[in-house]
Amino acid sequence: MVVEIFDVKTGKTLPKKIEILAEEEKEDLLEEKHYMLKEILEQPKTIVKATEQEEQKLIDVALDMLRAKTVVFTACGTARYAAIIGRYLLSKVANKFSDVIMSHEFQYFSDSIDKDTLVIAVSQSGETADVLEGVEKAKEKGAKVIAITNVVGSSLARIADYTFYLNCGTEVAVASTKAFTGQLVVLYLLAFAAINKIKKCKDSVTEVAKKIEENIHQNDSVLKELAEKMKDKKDIYYLAKGIDFAIASEGALKLKELSYMHAEGMPAGELKHGTLSLIEEGTPIVAICPKDYTCKETLNNAQEAKSRGGFIIGVSDENNDLFDVWLKIPKVEEIYYPIVSVIPLQLLAYYTAVAKGNNPDKPRNLAKSVTVK
Ligand code: M6R
């Protein structure tokens, strides 16, 4: 293809640099019925693709993170839940405190942003208006901006000082799945780059992807049966703690987007501060309790819900007497549990939408990318 740019008045060719952003990708459904299912099932591959990042760039950004007075993540929806996991990772792996601000609230914190702030913007599309507005404000204040995005050449990628792409291919379904796990992988790499362990992190993520591949169909019949039960419920609560907490919120977001049910994710310890009064006979509670440092306490909180009649759906690598239904995840290195725990929750949302007769690819009232304020 030849592209030339002319001055319309003089007809002369203008010496403009032409940048080819990406070959148009063809997304075929092949044997899957919906894009969402196809994108969920692609994750063992896309997770590995997301590790393909330039090592020097990871190191440079990690050093900027460590040097910055303040590190702030900004994002919306699913991308914000990835950012919350990024925050836990920075603290746990690199001992660096950071914060996460929803992009549409970012402007109200701009007084505290300055040239010593590093802003990490996470956005699948790179076109979310709220994200772009926040990032532009941060740049005006002299902050450095890092983008984690999927769409090559997106507005966010063009504004940022450094950009990491997810390499996971076009995400067609409105509900974000493979982009979320791709965002997590980049955040893991950044946290481990800060302690000089990029290679180790890449190897661990590749191992995690293999385990997901082996596990991804293991819960199929349990999930389909559960979805039939769930479709008539009004409310559902998702509990988790520590690094797994954002997976509770992400599981709830997936379910409400697609099934139009009320779903709420929360840190398990928050249950007794109010929500417990809503639990009655048969209320579904998803307890995300992989065998990590959060497990014991999350199980204690789930027990409180169970004794009020809660129906407990456990997401774990080990079964427990408390669970009415067990969604099995593979055993992985402790810090990587969020990547494996989200998969059965994506599938649960998918199958519940299908059981209700909803189109999981195009939920009502929602757009793939929110480009208006
Ligand atoms: O393109 P972005 O990542 O900036 O989009 C942010 C949210 O609008 C998006 O994650 C939304 O919450 C998804 N539909 C969730 O599945």
Side-chain angles (χ1 to χ4, degrees), residues 112-124:
S112 347
I113 307 288
D114 61 20
K115 62 172 186 24
D116 298 317
T117 312
L118 183 79
V119 174
I120 306 180
V122 189
S123 170
Q124 187 284 132

Side-chain angles (χ1 to χ4, degrees), residues 76-79 123-126 128 131 174-176 183 253-254 257 370:
C76 303
T78 287
S123 170
Q124 187 284 132
S125 63
T128 299
V131 176
V174 166
S176 190
Q183 286 157 356
L253 175 62
K254 286 290 86 92
E257 273 188 294
V370 186

Side-chain angles (χ1 to χ4, degrees), residues 70-345:
T70 320
V71 176
V72 183
F73 292 93
T74 188
C76 303
T78 287
R80 187 171 72 89
Y81 297 134
I84 293 175
I85 292 172
R87 181 187 190 212
Y88 279 93
L89 285 173
L90 274 200
S91 173
K92 227 175 164 19
V93 177
N95 278 331
K96 181 78 186 177
F97 183 80
S98 59
D99 209 342
V100 180
I101 304 177
M102 294 178 189
S103 302
H104 35 89
E105 288 292 307
F106 196 85
Q107 55 180 311
Y108 308 116
F109 289 92
S110 62
D111 299 324
S112 347
I113 307 288
D114 61 20
K115 62 172 186 24
D116 298 317
T117 312
L118 183 79
V119 174
I120 306 180
V122 189
S123 170
Q124 187 284 132
S125 63
E127 301 297 345
T128 299
D130 292 321
V131 176
L132 296 178
E133 188 193 68
V135 159
E136 269 155 13
K137 280 231 153 57
K139 286 224 92 167
E140 276 165 28
K141 303 292 284 294
K144 201 175 245 185
V145 173
I146 312 301
I148 300 178
T149 185
N150 193 32
V151 178
V152 178
S154 60
S155 304
L156 177 62
R158 282 183 276 128
I159 299 171
D161 295 285
Y162 287 96
T163 297
F164 294 99
Y165 289 113
L166 309 178
N167 308 323
C168 70
T170 308
E171 194 177 60
V172 177
V174 166
S176 190
T177 53
K178 62 177 179 174
F180 176 72
T181 46
Q183 286 157 356
L184 292 188
V185 171
V186 174
L187 291 163
Y188 276 95
L189 285 170
L190 280 174
F192 280 100
I195 57 160
N196 222 352
K197 288 201 171 151
I198 298 178
K199 163 89 175 58
K200 165 81 183 72
C201 177
K202 284 191 182 180
D203 291 348
S204 300
V205 169
T206 308
E207 192 52 35
V208 165
K210 267 195 217 142
K211 299 248 177 102
I212 293 177
E213 176 95 74
E214 287 158 18
N215 168 263
I216 207 155
H217 289 293
Q218 264 184 19
N219 297 306
D220 278 358
S221 55
V222 179
L223 279 163
K224 284 178 194 163
E225 209 178 297
L226 182 60
E228 284 300 324
K229 277 207 184 92
M230 299 277 289
K231 70 173 199 225
D232 302 317
K233 299 283 178 187
K234 261 179 59 218
D235 308 293
I236 168 162
Y237 301 94
Y238 289 69
L239 308 178
K241 277 182 92 80
I243 198 165
D244 306 313
F245 146 61
I247 298 300
S249 303
E250 172 58 5
L253 175 62
K254 286 290 86 92
L255 192 89
K256 68 182 144 191
E257 273 188 294
L258 305 179
S259 69
Y260 318 144
M261 287 157 61
H262 167 242
E264 220 177 300
M266 72 193 76
E270 198 60 16
L271 187 71
K272 56 184 172 300
H273 296 286
T275 311
L276 201 53
S277 69
L278 298 170
I279 310 300
E280 48 193 39
E281 202 51 47
T283 306
I285 315 281
V286 180
I288 298 134
C289 40
K291 288 297 275 177
D292 64 6
Y293 67 100
T294 68
C295 180
K296 198 164 159 258
E297 285 191 33
T298 303
L299 284 173
N300 286 343
N301 295 124
Q303 174 62 64
E304 286 164 19
K306 177 126 182 156
S307 46
R308 271 91 183 166
F311 177 83
I312 311 293
I313 301 151
V315 177
S316 184
D317 38 339
E318 220 175 87
N319 203 351
N320 191 289
D321 287 346
L322 199 67
F323 301 159
D324 294 292
V325 171
W326 177 32
L327 298 177
K328 188 175 183 209
I329 55 168
K331 194 170 268 317
V332 294
E333 278 175 66
E334 180 163 305
I335 202 146
Y336 295 100
Y337 274 118
I339 310 188
V340 297
S341 310
V342 76
I343 313 275
L345 301 182

